[in-house]
Amino acid sequence: MSIIENRKATHDYFIEERHEAGMVLEGWEVKAIRAGRANIKESYVVIRGEEIFLFGMHITPLTTASSHVHHDPTRTRKLLLHKKEIARLIGKVERAGYTLVPLDMHFKQGRIKLEIGLAKGKKLHDKREDEKKKDWEREKQRLMRVKV
């Protein structure tokens, strides 16, 4: 069950591979995410040492949250992957010029997971071509409905 989808990522990047990662979250963050108060549109994934972190994800605290704990809505969150997966991703990012992009946040067996994509950036002409394809598909669907 999807919570948030980053549609901007598929517009700006060619997604080569997808990986599912767990996240280290605090209790108030889980409650806020379940209430739909998270945003991954401006976030990005960074590799530091042998670990992967998510920067820029904004989680708006609930108003009913504890008043004695000071919440940081954009704190850095650690992503959880197997060592082999991390090593492979590090190799691709450093050697092949790929980048890691958050694509989708969803529930899996009661836990919150983040789908990250190994991506290459699109050029302007690629974006225009994708837009033309989308318009043609939309027009084709509209014409099919009119004929029936």
Side-chain angles (χ1 to χ4, degrees):
M1 183 174 142
S2 183
I3 304 168
I4 307 165
E5 187 178 345
N6 188 0
R7 292 191 186 113
K8 186 179 176 187
T10 55
H11 182 265
D12 292 340
Y13 299 98
F14 291 115
I15 309 299
E16 303 284 325
E17 296 177 15
R18 294 172 181 260
H19 296 276
E20 188 176 66
M23 293 187 345
V24 177
L25 297 171
E26 295 177 359
W28 69 270
E29 292 173 326
V30 174
K31 287 181 179 181
I33 290 171
R34 288 186 184 278
R37 304 183 119 217
N39 184 4
I40 60 171
K41 192 175 288 183
E42 298 298 322
S43 61
Y44 56 98
V45 179
V46 174
I47 298 172
R48 286 198 177 156
E50 295 288 316
E51 298 176 330
I52 297 180
F53 294 94
L54 179 67
F55 284 85
M57 182 172 103
H58 191 276
I59 300 175
T60 307
L62 296 171
T63 56
T64 59
S66 177
S67 60
H68 67 279
V69 176
H70 299 287
H71 309 295
D72 182 13
T74 57
R75 77 176 183 89
T76 303
R77 293 163 180 94
K78 184 177 175 181
L79 298 179
L80 306 172
L81 288 163
H82 291 286
K83 268 190 175 180
K84 288 182 181 179
E85 284 181 306
I86 293 174
R88 213 166 65 68
L89 289 174
I90 289 172
K92 292 252 184 165
V93 168
E94 288 180 353
R95 289 188 208 105
Y98 287 98
T99 186
L100 294 172
V101 181
L103 300 174
D104 179 52
M105 188 183 298
H106 58 274
F107 292 115
K108 184 174 182 184
Q109 298 176 351
R111 302 191 192 274
I112 297 172
K113 301 288 184 174
L114 182 73
E115 187 175 38
I116 58 174
L118 193 63
K120 270 204 188 273
K122 284 185 182 178
K123 303 282 190 246
L124 184 61
H125 59 83
D126 293 328
K127 292 179 187 178
R128 287 182 183 150
E129 194 165 319
D130 282 350
E131 195 65 35
K132 286 179 187 175
K133 284 180 185 176
K134 283 182 189 175
D135 288 343
W136 169 241
E137 289 297 322
R138 198 175 303 125
E139 184 69 21
K140 202 164 55 171
Q141 290 296 325
R142 190 183 65 77
L143 290 171
M144 294 298 278
R145 273 183 287 177
V146 171
K147 286 183 179 180
V148 175

